[in-house]
Amino acid sequence: MRCWIAKFVVTLAISLLTSLAPVLGQHPARLRADTTSTGQSSELSQQEPKSLMGADEPQVEAKVEFVAPVSVDDALAIAAWQNLKVTQIQHSFTIGKEKFVGFYVVDADDTPATIAPNLAANYRAFLQDIADPAEENIPDAGPSDPIAGGKLKQRRVQAKQALTRSYQDELRVVGITVVGEENQLDAVKDAPLVSKVTAEPSEQEQISTKSLSKGDAPPQAATNVDENTWVPVSGRIITAPSSAGGRYVEQQMKWSNVSGFGPNSTYEHDFFLKNSAGTVRGPGTYLDRSETRIDRIPIVAYATSNLPRAYLDSRFKDGTDEIAFTIGCAKASDIKVGETYTSYIRTKDGDASQDDGKLQAQLGHRTPSWCYDTLCSFEDEQVSRVVIVPAWEVPVPGVKAWDRTRAPVAHFSMSAQGKSANDFGTLNLSVPVNGNVTVAFRSTSVQGSWPITKYLWKSNGTQICTNSSTCNYNFGTASNTITLTVTDSSGKSMSASGLVKLSFFSVNPSVSRFRYSPNPAKATRVVSLDIYGSSFSSNTQVWFVGPGCGSPGCRTFAVNAPNSGYIAAQAVLNITGTYTVNIRNGSGAWVRAGTITVVR
């Protein structure tokens, strides 16, 4: 499904032609002269090919669907009856209880006699690829892998059982894609085994839906659909060489919520390979990127899926730097929660032995609502495509499991002064009064579904470091709540917290010289002190112990410590006698500075 403006679907059923006539009137080449129908079913041998438009009528590609599955021979006979060229065959089969639809693109060298055996060979190659014990060399990609362990073994057993069955039992054709003139397609719709014929206009005839009347405009899904209501939650991607030659991409996916799908919703699981000259690997793709000329359907050896009403998607309007390999689901409302869905595409070898991939989800709708083909699937442009695996994180060849439910888990360690602690713990540190300490932090976070791309460090709610898995910060406050928030490439985030606590201690001062003046000091007069030493600060206290000043003494607040080696202090002592001068830093130990004699 590409941009819906690029497509317009026309049914060849006579009743619908009448309703679409006003829209198609501006395109006379697409109108048929005969718009009547007898409504009778007749045998093919009793009908003659119609020729309503003449020999110069342009070729049209169309999908023919059958009332019930038919044999390959019957499907080819219906096409041959009107000289239609068969370009693709869709057949149905089961693996265990799962119903699949397979897509075989008819090779240019195929003949009516080789189509059935070639289809059978490609179908069996698919079974062999998923049943081959060699796939055991591809490890389970973790607990989120939707087919890991027992489910993987069960699927292999069921595929091996399917290999033992006669391929004629499996090659039940539900539809064919053909190319021919419109009068030929008009005749085919009357065949007794045919239920519907859906054709796509040529590129020159494609109409912008802006020209449609309001009643004919494609139905749109609701705007702002929550991605958690329609995007699968887990899955995996395998790219590998096929046991039958060529290479394949196999995908599994699961949903936990499908409430975002409406009755006309479509879903596409878009897998892209990188094909850019500006990259390390250079141009080229691991899978063959060949496609049809008219509507750019990938030319594959074989494709299949158990998605409801699956279809092989077009690359119409895609660029050439990113090559899509997509199987779409035309009836997304039938997707069941918890069921594992599979898609598989096998091609010839591409022109690159290594590649890189990405995966995205795309929501769309059908118009008209009764059409279940890529021709009728349109993207909901109001709803952004959702990245499942970012570019270019899928190793090719290789395996990539993904789980959109797993957020990263934040953890960190913190260390300083030979001590360490982790998040949810406390790092207790001691520093001098008015001191500080540098703490080293290191993220030990665990990646979830996607790589961690952002680290946000905060202390007491304020960011302290830039986006880095490590952080070093200097603390001088007593209590510091540290928070690390990690965010992954899908936008999921998680936080963890820890505590850094500082206790402040005083470094004891030392005194090398002490003097005062006048000497002796005079009672009731100011005495000035000069104290020299080290480890002095603005927190250094000066106390006097003597007459009238019992222990711990009388404190003077007239103290000035211009630097750590000198203190100037003043005091007034009212009683004569001898006083001891003691100093300390904060609540630290007392240090004797000297004595003062006070006289009258």
Side-chain angles (χ1 to χ4, degrees), residues 117-180:
N118 285 346
L119 168 58
N122 280 281
Y123 160 67
R124 293 176 68 82
F126 156 68
L127 294 177
Q128 193 66 46
D129 282 340
I130 65 173
D132 194 336
E135 194 179 77
E136 293 176 359
N137 295 325
I138 300 175
D140 294 340
S144 62
D145 193 329
I147 62 165
K151 293 182 180 179
L152 177 59
K153 294 178 181 178
Q154 181 183 23
R155 192 191 64 170
R156 287 176 180 155
V157 169
Q158 293 169 342
K160 289 178 180 178
Q161 292 173 344
L163 279 167
T164 65
R165 297 196 290 264
S166 170
Y167 74 83
Q168 287 88 352
D169 295 335
E170 297 297 310
L171 301 189
R172 307 300 294 171
V173 178
V174 294
I176 55 176
T177 302
V178 297
V179 175

Side-chain angles (χ1 to χ4, degrees), residues 320-369:
T320 58
D321 288 346
E322 300 179 2
I323 308 300
F325 295 87
T326 301
I327 293 180
C329 170
K331 197 174 183 182
S333 58
D334 281 357
I335 291 175
K336 293 180 172 58
V337 169
E339 185 167 333
T340 297
Y341 291 93
T342 298
S343 67
Y344 168 97
I345 297 176
R346 183 167 63 87
T347 73
K348 297 177 181 178
D349 288 352
D351 53 358
S353 60
Q354 287 186 302
D355 209 339
D356 300 295
K358 71 175 184 179
L359 182 64
Q360 67 183 25
Q362 186 181 135
L363 180 65
H365 58 275
R366 300 188 312 275
T367 184
S369 60

Side-chain angles (χ1 to χ4, degrees), residues 386-403:
V386 175
V387 173
I388 297 178
V389 181
W392 297 95
E393 296 182 7
V394 180
V396 179
V399 60
K400 176 70 174 182
W402 51 270
D403 185 345

Side-chain angles (χ1 to χ4, degrees), residues 13 49 71 144 172 180 227 299 349 379 389 403 477 487 494 595:
S71 67
S144 62
R172 307 300 294 171
E227 65 183 57
I299 297 176
D349 288 352
E379 178 183 358
V389 181
D403 185 345
T477 53
T487 305
M494 185 171 286
T595 60

Side-chain angles (χ1 to χ4, degrees), residues 260-283:
F261 291 131
N264 294 321
S265 290
T266 61
Y267 173 77
E268 289 181 358
H269 207 61
D270 290 328
F271 175 63
F272 291 89
L273 291 178
K274 182 167 56 176
N275 177 41
S276 175
T279 62
V280 175
R281 300 194 192 281

Side-chain angles (χ1 to χ4, degrees), residues 27-28 33 69 102 153 235 243 245 247 320 346 358 372 390 408 505 516 574 585-587:
H27 299 278
K153 294 178 181 178
S243 59
R247 298 162 177 169
T320 58
R346 183 167 63 87
K358 71 175 184 179
Y372 295 88
F505 66 91
Y516 65 95
N574 296 320
N585 286 341
S587 59

Side-chain angles (χ1 to χ4, degrees), residues 135 197 298 317 369 389 430 443 456 494:
E135 194 179 77
V197 179
K317 292 295 183 180
S369 60
V389 181
S430 296
S443 171
L456 179 61
M494 185 171 286

